[in-house]
Amino acid sequence: MEGLFSRCVYLCKMLEDKNQSRTSLAELGEFGLINHITKHFKVSHKATVKAVGDDAAVLESSEKQTLITTDLLIEGVHFDLSYMPLKHLGYKAVVVNLSDVFAMNGEAEQITVSLAVSNRFPLEAIEELYAGIQLACETYTIDLIGGDTTSSTKGILISVTAIGKANKEDVVYRNTAKETDLIVVTGDLGAAFAGLQILEREKEVFKDNAAVQPDFSGKDYILERQLKPEARQDVIQLLKDLEVKPTSMIDISDGLSSEIIHLCQQGKVGCDLYENKIPLDPQVISTCEEFNIDATTVAINGGEDYELLFTIIMEDFEKIKGNPNFTIIGHMTSESEGIHLVTRANTKIRLKARGWDSISEE
Ligand code: ADP
Ligand code: MG
């Protein structure tokens, strides 16, 4: 993992050092660039009739329903290239979109990638970005079918659209939870936020003294969760195998608190979440101790975990019980009972959707 930071440093140097091998984007031209970055992508899905290269991609439609989702990522708003290597950015930009397709209980098949990039970036930087995009496509078996490339006056902007499919009867919406359903979360929470705290700290240290080696020891898991998140394609298959169809589902991009509020408000139900059930990795607990922040707050408000949050009927409890991928963290209640966290001290506090930034203000 130490390699990550040296790669960031390498990248920053590459952007500044005029003597390094760098091919200017202007020299290559838009057409040359598109050809260069897309030529290594292979098509895997039968439904992809025409990928990159024409005025539009062509997809064969099936009996299934089509799922479409887009995310826009802007440098300085959604990512910081001083510690986010471009390869990781490319990977993450794809993964966050696939996560939305999986959150509908669907299979993802294609993506488009649109890019605005300033002349400050050499071709080599764009190659890094596309190496990450390609790795994500290979890992999740996704076809890159098109996009757009243009220049920006400053920084990078990347927009990914993912296309997937699902049988009509398999699609899971946000607004269909029922009063007595159990609430389940996959994996563990808060690690991406904890990882970000480490990266921010080391960035400050590095700013003051570039000779200091960053201290990432014992932080591999949380750094990976921030820099190379994965979408839970495996869980969608697992749910099929277990014959569990969630009654509602959402992926955790903004934090557990904000996502459970979506499920409750859209489904017109309330909930009790149990603090002592929230799954935390030991690295999250120790990092929160180091930073003197509350681990539950980080798990609830941190965001960017890309785990799945879903509800199931009580009768499905037996099917998922004991599976290490799943933790039951509470149950739905009636709308009039409200949306609550039951603390370790057994007091009920009302959950609010607090954004990403508010944690550090506490
Ligand atoms: P047009 O001028 O008709 O919009 P472009 O020259 O922008 O076409 O694109 C040519 C082909 O390359 C299209 O298939 C388009 O989808 C694809 N493409 C353009 N930019 C990207 C990109 N950044 N990533 C992947 N495919 C791209
Ligand atoms: Mg175009």
Side-chain angles (χ1 to χ4, degrees), residues 254 257-258 261 297 300-301 352-359 362:
D254 297 335
S257 166
S258 131
I261 289 171
T297 309
I300 285 185
N301 296 323
K352 287 195 211 120
R354 281 175 300 181
W356 175 266
D357 295 325
S358 58
I359 296 180
E362 284 185 348

Side-chain angles (χ1 to χ4, degrees), residues 30-31 34 37-38 51-57 113-115 130 144-149:
E30 185 190 325
F31 187 71
I34 295 171
I37 59 186
T38 58
V52 172
D54 214 308
D55 295 312
V113 176
S114 295
L115 203 61
Y130 267 75
L144 174 74
I145 58 161
D148 200 20
T149 308

Side-chain angles (χ1 to χ4, degrees), residues 133-288:
I133 292 173
Q134 190 166 2
L135 180 60
C137 285
E138 286 164 6
T139 306
Y140 292 91
T141 320
I142 303 296
D143 297 341
L144 174 74
I145 58 161
D148 200 20
T149 308
T150 186
S151 57
S152 81
T153 46
K154 203 168 145 260
I156 283 195
L157 179 157
I158 174 166
S159 173
V160 176
T161 296
I163 301 162
K165 62 177 195 206
N167 288 318
K168 182 170 188 244
E169 63 275 17
D170 291 337
V171 179
V172 175
Y173 294 93
R174 290 182 179 183
N175 64 356
T176 36
K178 294 284 172 294
E179 265 185 41
T180 55
D181 290 347
L182 300 175
I183 304 167
V184 185
V185 71
T186 62
D188 54 67
L189 301 178
F193 184 85
L196 184 65
Q197 301 316 299
I198 299 292
L199 289 166
E200 295 272 7
R201 180 184 71 190
E202 297 308 316
K203 180 185 170 183
E204 288 309 309
V205 174
F206 187 77
K207 257 196 216 158
D208 294 342
N209 183 354
V212 176
Q213 280 294 309
D215 181 13
F216 290 151
S217 54
K219 306 292 184 199
D220 51 341
Y221 178 68
I222 60 173
L223 288 173
E224 185 122 8
R225 293 282 282 174
Q226 170 59 223
L227 293 172
K228 193 170 175 286
E230 302 292 353
R232 300 306 304 259
Q233 191 176 42
D234 59 329
V235 167
I236 300 312
Q237 188 55 49
L238 182 58
L239 288 171
K240 279 203 174 72
D241 295 345
L242 294 171
E243 295 178 4
V244 173
K245 184 191 170 189
T247 52
S248 70
M249 185 152 62
I250 191 167
D251 70 323
I252 302 185
S253 46
D254 297 335
L256 175 64
S257 166
S258 131
E259 315 304 0
I260 192 71
I261 289 171
H262 282 304
L263 294 186
C264 287
Q265 287 179 343
Q266 293 203 22
K268 297 194 168 43
V269 291
C271 77
D272 283 342
L273 282 186
Y274 291 86
E275 183 184 16
N276 64 351
K277 302 284 185 207
I278 295 172
L280 299 171
D281 185 87
Q283 285 189 15
V284 171
I285 298 172
S286 60
T287 304
C288 287

Side-chain angles (χ1 to χ4, degrees), residues 314-355:
M314 273 196 288
E315 290 74 15
D316 280 345
F317 169 71
E318 289 297 324
K319 298 185 193 164
I320 71 149
K321 158 184 99 169
N323 189 306
N325 290 288
F326 302 127
T327 310
I328 296 165
I329 55 171
H331 55 85
M332 292 306 199
T333 58
S334 68
E335 187 174 24
S336 61
E337 285 174 83
I339 303 169
H340 290 108
L341 179 75
V342 182
T343 67
R344 288 198 178 83
N346 210 23
T347 53
K348 274 191 171 191
I349 55 169
R350 193 174 289 276
L351 277 180
K352 287 195 211 120
R354 281 175 300 181

